[in-house]
Amino acid sequence: MKTGNKIVWVYTWLIMGLVVFVVVLFYILTARSINKVYESYLAERAIATAEKYWERDELDDASYDLVQKRYDQALPIAKELILNADSIIKARKSLSRYLSDEDINELYSKHIVHFEGKEHQYGVAIYYPDNEGNFIVLIRSNNQYGADIIARMGWLLLAAFGLTAVLVYGVGKLYAGRLVNQIDEAYQNEKSFISNASHELNNPLTAIQGECEITLLRERTPAEYASALERIKSESQRMIILMKHLLFLSRGDKEIINSAIEPIHLQDFFQTLVTDPVRFKKEGPEVIVEANPHLLGIAIQNIINNAYKYSKGKEVEIRTKGYNVYIEDQGIGISSDDIKRIFQPFYRGKNARGFEGQGIGLTLSVRILKSFGARVKINSELNKGTQVHICFQPSSISTQRSK
């Protein structure tokens, strides 16, 4: 699994763990609040019931009408049980169906006691002293409405949790995962680049060292010394060119862009680069681009050299059409797997291993061309040839002329 995907999964699990904690806490607190509200309604009904039965002789008609009205409005769907608290044995026997001994003792201490039964049954019992005696009012009711609200809330929270999980994972995948994968890929490319660069630099150094050791084994003729020096010179030049390319690749795009930019007549520029056996074909009007002519020449020449090298003597054609340049060959081509990585430094196609090269020329060319705003696209087919399509950006001079 890629590093980015691992981080996305860890990030998703952490966030969803926090969401689960918040959702469960919210569910529990909300359910308790709903039940507490219902219990308060039961307590109001119990008090209203007690006042209805035992306050009639102590209130005038207007006040009793208010008590009756309160009783009628207080939780109408409820079951009442009225007990004489002074008949302790009988009252305790009836209360034991709903309350524990501890709750009964608390009730007799003149407290309000709340209790729960099966299937959303809730109840309240109150101890009510009156001038006619002491009484106990027990009210029971089914909180189905509250249970339905809690159930709906549970399903809504579950749906919200699922949607949140999808969104968190999607956002992580879209941004964090992609960014980390890019960083990881860049890191892997950097490691590969350093490894390949070390290998490529080691090859000429090893060749030079080997040539010196062999030459020093015995006395040589002047011709043999000259031949050895030529080989050392060739390997030194190879290493110098490679070092120049590596140093150039380490430069930033701004450094490249700011290096002696000038207007270039594109068709005329390409015509100066073309020599036999490369054919040049010009289509459309003359156009102007802005670039460093020396660096642009290096970039284009690398692509032309590759086309000629892999064509094995077959025809290479350069065609310009406005700001578009096509460099086509009839060479060995590039496989679809290799073409995805062909712009990476030191990468060479599987069918290019028998050809001389280090796999850095095309990378260098693309880096230069992109720094000048050009786009590069490669179309290729194995054993049929390759087309490099370069699309340049119009210069400010061309834009002013068109206006």
Side-chain angles (χ1 to χ4, degrees):
M1 187 183 288
K2 289 186 177 180
T3 304
N5 292 337
K6 290 180 183 177
I7 291 177
V8 169
W9 277 112
V10 171
Y11 160 78
T12 302
W13 281 112
L14 287 174
I15 295 297
M16 294 319 299
L18 180 62
V19 170
V20 166
F21 174 76
V22 172
V23 165
V24 170
L25 183 64
F26 175 79
Y27 179 82
I28 292 172
L29 292 177
T30 305
R32 288 184 63 182
S33 297
I34 291 173
N35 292 333
K36 286 290 183 185
V37 169
Y38 197 75
E39 287 174 357
S40 69
Y41 291 160
L42 287 172
E44 286 181 14
R45 173 60 184 263
I47 294 171
T49 301
E51 289 177 346
K52 174 189 172 184
Y53 284 107
W54 296 294
E55 298 297 330
R56 181 71 183 90
D57 59 340
E58 299 179 16
L59 298 174
D60 56 41
D61 291 341
S63 298
Y64 187 76
D65 286 342
L66 291 174
V67 169
Q68 183 67 44
K69 188 176 181 181
R70 236 177 81 195
Y71 172 81
D72 293 337
Q73 293 176 345
L75 202 64
I77 305 174
K79 295 179 180 179
E80 301 174 354
L81 178 64
I82 299 172
L83 302 170
N84 186 345
D86 295 328
S87 302
I88 297 176
I89 296 175
K90 187 178 179 180
R92 278 183 172 272
K93 185 177 179 181
S94 298
L95 289 172
S96 63
R97 296 167 56 192
Y98 310 102
L99 304 176
S100 65
D101 289 341
E102 185 180 346
D103 290 335
I104 295 173
N105 292 334
E106 185 177 353
L107 179 62
Y108 268 90
S109 300
K110 301 179 182 179
H111 287 92
I112 296 178
V113 175
H114 295 277
F115 61 91
E116 294 183 21
K118 296 179 180 179
E119 298 181 355
H120 316 300
Q121 285 281 339
Y122 291 87
V124 63
I126 65 170
Y127 185 93
Y128 193 83
D130 189 68
N131 56 1
E132 297 180 15
N134 299 313
F135 301 93
I136 292 173
V137 178
L138 187 145
I139 304 294
R140 291 180 298 120
S141 180
N142 190 325
N143 188 15
Q144 187 60 48
Y145 181 69
D148 290 342
I149 292 176
I150 293 171
R152 288 195 190 98
M153 181 182 66
W155 284 110
L156 286 173
L157 289 175
L158 187 62
F161 173 79
L163 181 61
T164 303
V166 172
L167 288 175
V168 168
Y169 179 79
V171 171
K173 187 78 173 173
L174 185 62
Y175 293 103
R178 183 184 295 178
L179 181 61
V180 172
N181 281 337
Q182 288 175 351
I183 294 172
D184 186 56
E185 186 177 349
Y187 171 70
Q188 296 301 331
N189 288 338
E190 188 73 18
K191 282 177 63 178
S192 176
F193 176 81
I194 293 171
S195 176
N196 290 325
S198 301
H199 176 72
E200 291 296 333
L201 287 171
N202 187 60
N203 285 344
L205 288 172
T206 302
I208 291 171
Q209 183 182 11
E211 192 67 40
C212 291
E213 289 174 353
I214 291 172
T215 304
L216 293 172
L217 286 175
R218 61 179 178 84
E219 289 291 330
R220 305 282 179 175
T221 64
E224 288 175 330
Y225 280 122
S227 177
L229 289 172
E230 280 296 330
R231 287 191 290 272
I232 292 172
K233 176 185 175 184
S234 174
E235 293 296 334
S236 299
Q237 288 176 340
R238 175 185 164 194
M239 188 167 63
I240 289 169
I241 292 170
L242 178 59
M243 288 295 297
K244 284 182 178 179
H245 288 171
L246 293 175
L247 287 171
F248 187 85
L249 286 175
S250 68
R251 296 169 65 184
D253 288 343
K254 288 185 179 180
E255 291 181 74
I256 300 173
I257 293 172
N258 294 331
S259 56
I261 299 295
E262 61 182 71
I264 297 173
H265 292 267
L266 195 62
Q267 285 79 358
D268 292 343
F269 180 80
F270 269 86
Q271 194 137 22
T272 61
L273 296 176
V274 174
T275 56
D276 289 333
V278 179
R279 289 197 309 121
F280 177 71
K281 189 176 180 181
K282 174 183 174 182
E283 298 177 10
E286 178 72 35
V287 296
I288 299 175
V289 299
E290 293 181 350
N292 180 311
H294 173 66
L295 295 179
L296 185 59
I298 291 174
I300 300 302
Q301 197 63 60
N302 280 341
I303 296 174
I304 294 173
N305 291 343
N306 280 349
Y308 182 72
K309 177 172 62 176
Y310 295 119
S311 291
K312 298 180 179 179
K314 294 180 182 178
E315 185 178 86
V316 175
E317 179 182 273
I318 298 177
R319 182 164 47 91
T320 60
K321 188 175 183 179
Y323 292 99
N324 295 284
V325 178
Y326 303 90
I327 302 174
E328 301 176 358
D329 65 57
Q330 302 176 39
I332 61 174
I334 308 168
S335 70
S336 57
D337 291 333
D338 288 333
I339 209 165
K340 297 173 185 176
R341 303 173 59 190
I342 202 67
F343 293 146
Q344 293 179 11
F346 299 106
Y347 184 81
R348 305 190 73 196
K350 297 179 183 66
N351 58 345
R353 304 292 166 83
F355 293 84
E356 183 182 350
Q358 299 160 334
I360 200 170
L362 183 60
T363 305
L364 184 66
S365 298
V366 172
R367 174 74 185 282
I368 293 171
L369 290 167
K370 283 187 175 180
S371 68
F372 296 136
R375 298 192 303 273
V376 181
K377 183 179 179 182
I378 294 182
N379 300 305
S380 187
E381 192 173 346
L382 275 176
N383 302 317
K384 289 191 176 180
T386 301
Q387 181 196 76
V388 180
H389 175 203
I390 307 169
C391 181
F392 287 92
Q393 293 290 331
S395 72
S396 57
I397 296 175
S398 299
T399 306
Q400 290 169 7
R401 284 182 180 178
S402 65
K403 290 180 180 179

